[in-house]
Amino acid sequence: MIVSQGSSPDLSAKVVCVSHLKDVDGCICAALVRCATKSNFLLTDYGHINECLRNIQKNYDLVYICDLGINEILLEEFVRIKQFAKLTYIDHHHLDGYLSERLEEMGVEVVHDLRECASVLTFNFLNKFLPRESGLLASFAAFSDRMENGPIAKRLIERYDRDFILFETMLLSYALERADVGLKRRVVHHLSELEYPHQIEGVTELALEQANRIIILRRELPNNATKLDNVAYVETREDSPGTIANLLLDVCEANIGIGYHTNQQKQTSDLSIRGRSNLTINLGRVTSQLAEKLGGFGGGHPRASGARIPTSALKKFIQALVHQTK
Ligand SMILES: [Mn+2]
């Protein structure tokens, strides 16, 4: 665990933040960095992160990378960026010991803690340069990432009215499920100006749409999903695999839920895996091991993970996971 307090952001520097596009945590990291440093921001996912980092050129001299787990391949881009810019990496995904050593050798400022969401780490790191109200943003991310019990998150959340946090968190979370990249960028922009989710045009409408979609899914999933022992899984096209995986725990009374999306051309499947709190295995670790064994890659947290594997290996992956939980 490395947690430190941010050094003063140089306001004359050209700053960019690269953050995870997918969820509340990633979007709020970008909003917080922008709020503190007036940075530009780029939102990306694991499928496009390489390309996204490659686009960072010498016009930036301070780069933040948030809520994105890294591997050896990405490290090469870090090395390139480090030649012309100061680099700060803020994350809470599993980080291999040797990668963390390499980052340190390179002089990358690393803020890493598995117990907190990336937004709480970002808030804590840039605290001195952020207004009190921006702590609410970090609180939304903590609840949304189910990391509200982290030591920093707990203290932070206590400062604010819990009902208001929960209300705004769920509006934002449901709306982002249905938002395209353009809208996500607009939402991040407004959040960085400390507007509340319900005030941002389109957010409430999209959140209600998503709530209605959830009702349909609750009805349909028990019929469409397959259950193998305590693992329920189903293919999804329009819904986010993560949402589906969470719902499977509920409506199929499974211990592990898997939502997956298959890319027919590339013949790969993207899986989101969620587990109940009583799970005895670490999903992040098991997912990473199984995916690599089957020619893919993956990782994540103890009760929430993701992987990309060849579609031909999907059955094997699920069977192996079932076996591990016995
Ligand atoms: Mn996160």
Side-chain angles (χ1 to χ4, degrees), residues 23 25-26 67 92-93 117-118 145 301:
D23 59 7
D25 193 27
D67 197 29
H92 65 138
H93 296 92
C117 69
D145 254 18
H301 310 290

Side-chain angles (χ1 to χ4, degrees), residues 21 57 88 98 100 124 162 195 209-211 235 270 273 318:
L21 160 83
Q57 296 298 336
T88 301
Y98 83 97
S100 140
N124 198 246
R162 188 182 162 90
E195 281 177 48
E209 258 179 46
Q210 178 64 3
E235 179 168 11
D270 289 333
I273 308 162
I318 293 168

Side-chain angles (χ1 to χ4, degrees), residues 35-305:
C35 183
T37 68
K38 306 289 166 252
S39 66
N40 285 327
F41 61 89
L42 304 165
L43 301 174
T44 188
D45 56 23
Y46 289 115
H48 301 90
I49 181 171
N50 256 316
E51 193 183 320
C52 178
L53 291 181
R54 226 173 292 138
N55 283 331
I56 296 179
Q57 296 298 336
K58 289 186 181 147
N59 46 340
Y60 290 110
D61 34 37
L62 182 50
V63 179
Y64 290 89
I65 297 173
C66 304
D67 197 29
L68 288 156
I70 58 158
N71 54 29
E72 223 166 328
I73 303 162
L74 285 177
L75 214 59
E76 288 171 28
E77 281 305 316
F78 277 47
V79 172
R80 186 187 62 81
I81 292 169
K82 197 67 191 61
Q83 286 167 359
F84 54 82
K86 190 169 170 266
L87 188 57
T88 301
Y89 176 60
I90 306 176
D91 189 54
H92 65 138
H93 296 92
H94 170 78
L95 181 65
D96 273 331
Y98 83 97
L99 279 180
S100 140
E101 271 168 37
R102 285 279 290 124
L103 290 172
E104 218 162 295
E105 275 165 27
M106 282 160 56
V108 174
E109 186 150 29
V110 179
V111 182
H112 186 262
D113 193 327
L114 294 170
R115 300 169 301 173
E116 306 284 354
C117 69
S119 298
V120 163
L121 295 176
T122 304
F123 176 79
N124 198 246
F125 182 70
L126 294 172
N127 188 260
K128 279 185 275 175
F129 318 103
L130 285 165
R132 182 183 185 276
E133 280 301 278
S134 68
L136 270 172
L137 293 180
S139 307
F140 303 158
F143 275 107
S144 181
D145 254 18
R146 292 163 172 73
M147 303 202 101
E148 70 274 18
N149 288 321
I152 308 173
K154 227 174 182 169
R155 255 185 296 126
L156 179 68
I157 288 164
E158 271 171 14
R159 293 164 65 185
Y160 308 102
D161 177 57
R162 188 182 162 90
D163 289 355
F164 185 64
I165 296 175
L166 292 178
F167 175 71
E168 296 290 346
T169 301
M170 286 325 298
L171 277 186
L172 182 60
S173 164
Y174 270 22
L176 290 182
E177 286 285 318
R178 302 198 82 75
D180 59 18
V181 187
L183 182 61
K184 283 181 181 175
R185 278 197 63 85
R186 191 162 64 76
V187 168
V188 168
H189 190 94
H190 286 288
L191 289 172
S192 76
E193 306 278 328
L194 300 183
E195 281 177 48
Y196 301 105
H198 85 268
Q199 296 177 304
I200 301 168
E201 203 189 314
V203 164
T204 308
E205 291 78 0
L206 276 182
L208 288 178
E209 258 179 46
Q210 178 64 3
N212 284 322
R213 177 68 190 150
I214 298 279
I215 293 172
I216 294 169
L217 287 168
R218 294 189 71 86
R219 213 166 33 223
E220 289 180 348
L221 278 176
N223 303 322
N224 298 341
T226 308
K227 204 169 166 197
L228 210 58
D229 270 345
N230 277 319
V231 179
Y233 59 96
V234 73
E235 179 168 11
T236 156
R237 288 197 179 83
E238 54 169 313
D239 301 288
S240 104
T243 301
I244 298 294
N246 273 323
L247 273 173
L248 287 174
L249 299 179
D250 167 357
V251 298
C252 294
E253 295 187 42
N255 277 342
I256 293 178
I258 305 174
Y260 67 90
H261 175 88
T262 293
N263 181 333
Q264 302 296 355
Q265 289 126 9
K266 291 187 182 157
Q267 298 176 318
T268 56
S269 295
D270 289 333
L271 289 72
S272 277
I273 308 162
R274 300 290 182 268
R276 283 192 185 280
S277 54
N278 59 2
L279 210 62
T280 49
I281 56 166
N282 182 320
L283 273 186
R285 200 169 309 139
V286 170
T287 300
S288 148
Q289 285 162 357
L290 288 180
E292 258 170 61
K293 225 195 219 160
L294 294 167
F297 57 90
H301 310 290
R303 287 190 289 138
S305 63

Side-chain angles (χ1 to χ4, degrees), residues 312-325:
S312 56
L314 193 62
K315 279 245 157 68
K316 264 194 190 144
F317 181 93
I318 293 168
Q319 280 162 355
L321 192 62
V322 169
H323 186 76
Q324 293 252 3
T325 54

